[in-house]
Amino acid sequence: MVPAATLSMRVKMAIVGVIVWMWSAARWVLEATFIGCTGGRRRGATRRSARSQQRLAPGQWRATALGPNSVSPRVDYTWHVPVGAADPSTKRNGTSHSSDHIYMSLLNSPDIERGSYEEEVHAVIIGAAAAGLAAAASIRAAGLRCINLERNATPGDRWRKRYARLHLHDVAEFCQLPYWGMPDFFPRYVPSADYANYLDAYALACGADVRGGMDVTGVARANEREVERGFRWRVLASDTSGRAAAFLCKHVVFADGLYNRPRLPDGVLSSSDAFHGDVIHSSEYVDSRPFAGKRVVVCGFGNSGMEIALDLAEVAEEVVALVRDPASRGTVPLGPYGDWQRLPRYLELPRHVATELARTGWLGGLLAAVPSILADIIDKLKDAWLARRAFQEWERMGAPRGDLRPFGLATLPGNGSCGYIEHIHKSSKVATMDVGAVKHVIAGNIRIENAALSGLTPKGAVVRAQGHAATVLPCDAIICCTGYHTLEQFRTLLPPDARQALHGGIDGFLVEPALRGSAIMSGDPTAVEGVWFVYGRLAQIEESARRLGANIVAAEARLERKRARGPVQQNLEA
């Protein structure tokens, strides 16, 4: 027999767990419906609470942006549409929208107080692109002062330097930042130039203090006197003129993005001088004009590789794409993928509730089993719907029964062993999204080789397929779409003891935490007090930034309570 007191306690704990479950569910529904914490232009009440739009004249719209917790406009900007361009109020679902149709002029920009080169702030954010600005907005919403140190001149420059054909591969609703969304007349998949303009306007709208042209050179621990005043870190930087700057802060946020130092195949690094043609990384690619009439090898066929190959197929003599393992991700048409992203948000409620409960402790982990099972069922239904749409699309393009394997690609991840969404949960890898390249692959305009680049010769690329001998592909140019070294900056900036605490030293650091199950979670506290990270795909940044803001507020409250107790009481407690 279980004692009555024990039984009563278990009943009480179960009731508390159910209340926590119901509260997290209700909070998520309210935020998704009225606050917009998960992003989405289609929730009109959400975004119009952050800005109002007014038609000025034919071809012009004005949007007034409100900063976080603000009742007065921060910045006005006008979107000008040239005569003959489509009306911006007309929503388009295609991907052919050109960034030349819209340009932005900023009005009434707030004066940014630069101050001296020795400053004291609550937080220093390294990076001022999407992740950095979202972090700044969330921290400023809590009433804390922060600055962004950005290597480029403006927040949008990082996107302006990408290739001209680049569009976001998530729908616009998923790529918005906290508190202030994109204009309603943006297309479903936003061109990179328009997204760059959005970032510049966002920095002004949320009042972010962005220091452009600042290169961070180191992050050191504060000295004893500075620690007594509540500071933890001293961030060292230099501007374009070489003048040094120092910033005392309590928090350092690494938000320099996932696309920093280009990654090249080992075969290119070891024999780049042997090849007589051009070898570039996708970060250096601008457009297809320099490759007209040439034979081009595209190493890698992810999202960037697909878009660049599609660009080249229109002008190049021959385009060969190297795909080492097509089944590692699978390939999904962009249209059905966007439709999947636009499914009702309440379908994600069970997964969200399960995640929130799992964070509350062992009782929450037990209660999370029920919504987790329901979330798995919903994911399998969505996977079946998305796979059916994908196979129909490929069959319409000419692939027998929608199977892309005869052409060197794979429709489903793992050759059908799991669905797209299940694969995301297992490996954090998103399927390659087709923007039109598969049609050229089926037609023979883009040839797929299931091999890896292993070296270079004066006349071409040396490729090796698994279980086969190396062969030479004659070519005039090689474009490496092989990704980037991600989240590397803190390895050289933080002191050794902080690196050791974060990930077992520099040698034990996992280069891609988002893909390899790192313990460093975006927006969550780390093993080093006052060090934070915000990273991930654009669709994940808004939620991570809001979580960062809440966690920093909690950390500030703990720090104030600790200082209020005084050193004597702290020593007694220790």
Side-chain angles (χ1 to χ4, degrees):
M1 291 289 293
V2 180
T6 304
L7 184 61
S8 176
M9 180 59 67
R10 289 181 179 177
V11 171
K12 291 178 181 178
M13 292 177 67
I15 292 174
V16 170
V18 171
I19 292 174
V20 171
W21 182 1
M22 294 175 64
W23 166 246
S24 62
R27 186 183 64 178
W28 189 89
V29 171
L30 290 173
E31 287 178 345
T33 307
F34 300 108
I35 302 175
C37 96
T38 54
R41 294 182 302 171
R42 59 180 168 175
R43 291 185 293 278
T46 294
R47 294 308 172 183
R48 279 163 178 74
S49 66
R51 73 187 193 285
S52 59
Q53 291 190 347
Q54 177 186 6
R55 190 67 180 265
L56 297 179
Q60 281 194 351
W61 281 70
R62 170 171 297 229
T64 302
L66 302 182
N69 297 340
S70 171
V71 294
S72 60
R74 284 280 188 179
V75 60
D76 289 348
Y77 67 90
T78 304
W79 298 89
H80 302 272
V81 182
V83 176
D87 190 324
S89 62
T90 304
K91 295 186 177 181
R92 295 170 297 244
N93 294 327
T95 60
S96 60
H97 175 72
S98 171
S99 60
D100 294 337
H101 286 189
I102 297 179
Y103 63 91
M104 180 164 50
S105 65
L106 295 171
L107 311 173
N108 303 331
S109 302
D111 294 329
I112 297 177
E113 192 175 315
R114 294 287 176 174
S116 67
Y117 273 89
E118 290 187 4
E119 296 184 42
E120 299 176 357
V121 294
H122 277 93
V124 171
I125 303 169
I126 301 175
L133 292 179
S138 297
I139 293 173
R140 286 177 58 83
L144 304 177
R145 184 178 174 231
C146 63
I147 61 171
N148 293 73
L149 303 181
E150 170 61 34
R151 184 180 291 112
N152 296 295
T154 67
D157 281 355
R158 191 175 302 188
W159 285 88
R160 291 190 182 93
K161 294 176 182 178
R162 303 297 299 275
Y163 53 91
R165 197 182 189 117
L166 176 64
H167 288 64
L168 303 187
H169 290 95
D170 289 304
V171 295
E173 291 90 326
F174 275 65
C175 300
Q176 301 177 126
L177 302 183
Y179 307 108
W180 191 52
M182 298 184 196
D184 290 336
F185 55 83
F186 262 18
R188 187 179 192 180
Y189 298 100
V190 182
S192 59
D194 287 344
Y195 193 71
N197 290 339
Y198 166 67
L199 293 181
D200 287 342
Y202 185 89
L204 296 176
C206 71
D209 187 353
V210 178
R211 312 294 176 89
M214 297 291 288
D215 191 19
V216 178
T217 57
V219 178
R221 292 192 182 275
N223 58 41
E224 291 184 8
R225 184 176 299 177
E226 294 164 347
V227 170
E228 290 175 358
R229 296 165 53 203
F231 296 104
R232 298 192 189 98
W233 301 99
R234 175 179 285 270
V235 180
L236 308 176
S238 61
D239 61 14
T240 52
S241 64
R243 217 161 29 146
F247 304 94
L248 274 176
C249 60
K250 301 177 182 179
H251 307 277
V252 178
V253 182
F254 288 88
D256 51 331
L258 298 177
Y259 309 105
N260 292 311
R261 186 164 64 90
R263 175 184 295 164
L264 294 172
D266 295 335
V268 171
L269 296 174
S270 60
S271 56
S272 58
D273 295 335
F275 184 53
H276 292 169
D278 297 323
V279 181
I280 65 172
H281 188 265
S282 59
S283 59
E284 304 172 77
Y285 180 84
V286 178
D287 55 44
S288 61
R289 287 177 295 179
F291 304 96
K294 294 184 178 181
R295 299 166 299 173
V296 185
V297 169
V298 178
C299 182
F301 209 55
N303 289 328
S304 294
M306 269 197 168
E307 252 184 345
I308 291 175
L310 174 62
D311 208 21
L312 295 169
E314 300 170 356
V315 298
E317 176 185 338
E318 181 185 36
V319 179
V320 180
L322 302 181
V323 186
R324 183 169 51 186
D325 183 13
S328 64
R329 290 176 180 259
T331 310
V332 62
L334 196 59
Y337 182 80
D339 293 339
W340 164 72
Q341 287 188 320
R342 286 186 164 185
L343 288 174
R345 301 292 292 170
Y346 57 75
L347 292 177
E348 298 178 18
L349 178 59
R351 179 73 62 189
H352 180 82
V353 171
T355 303
E356 291 296 320
L357 283 174
R359 292 180 176 181
T360 60
W362 66 269
L363 179 61
L366 292 176
L367 294 173
V370 175
S372 181
I373 293 173
L374 180 59
D376 290 339
I377 295 174
I378 293 175
D379 285 346
K380 288 187 180 298
L381 292 175
K382 291 194 293 185
D383 254 333
W385 174 83
L386 186 56
R388 181 172 175 271
R389 290 283 307 275
F391 277 104
Q392 288 176 343
E393 187 74 13
W394 303 142
E395 188 172 14
R396 185 183 62 81
M397 290 185 185
R401 297 180 299 281
D403 189 2
L404 296 179
R405 285 177 292 183
F407 304 96
L409 299 175
T411 301
L412 293 174
N415 285 323
S417 62
C418 62
Y420 297 110
I421 303 170
E422 183 183 359
H423 189 64
I424 291 174
H425 292 314
K426 286 183 176 179
S427 66
S428 296
K429 292 184 179 180
V430 182
T432 303
M433 286 160 274
D434 173 50
V435 294
V438 171
K439 180 173 63 177
H440 288 269
V441 171
I442 295 173
N445 300 326
I446 300 174
R447 180 160 58 93
I448 302 295
E449 291 284 345
N450 295 136
L453 181 63
S454 60
L456 301 175
T457 68
K459 294 185 178 180
V462 180
V463 299
R464 185 187 299 273
Q466 188 173 6
H468 295 79
T471 58
V472 177
L473 283 177
C475 61
D476 304 309
I478 299 173
I479 301 175
C480 298
C481 304
T482 45
Y484 297 79
H485 296 279
T486 60
L487 290 174
E488 277 197 320
Q489 195 170 15
F490 86 86
R491 293 201 297 173
T492 56
L493 295 181
L494 286 176
D497 62 319
R499 296 200 303 265
Q500 181 76 21
L502 281 173
H503 248 294
I506 190 169
D507 294 333
F509 172 59
L510 298 176
V511 177
E512 295 182 352
L515 304 181
R516 301 185 185 180
S518 166
I520 299 177
M521 300 300 293
S522 178
D524 284 349
T526 65
V528 179
E529 195 171 9
V531 174
W532 309 81
F533 294 85
V534 176
Y535 62 88
R537 295 171 53 239
L538 293 177
Q540 302 165 327
I541 284 176
E542 181 176 12
E543 182 180 353
S544 298
R546 289 180 181 270
R547 192 164 60 245
L548 170 77
N551 286 328
I552 285 185
V553 168
E556 285 288 307
R558 288 194 301 269
L559 184 62
E560 287 300 321
R561 289 195 300 268
K562 184 177 179 181
R563 294 182 64 187
R565 287 197 297 267
V568 175
Q569 188 175 351
Q570 291 177 30
N571 291 333
L572 290 175
E573 292 175 356

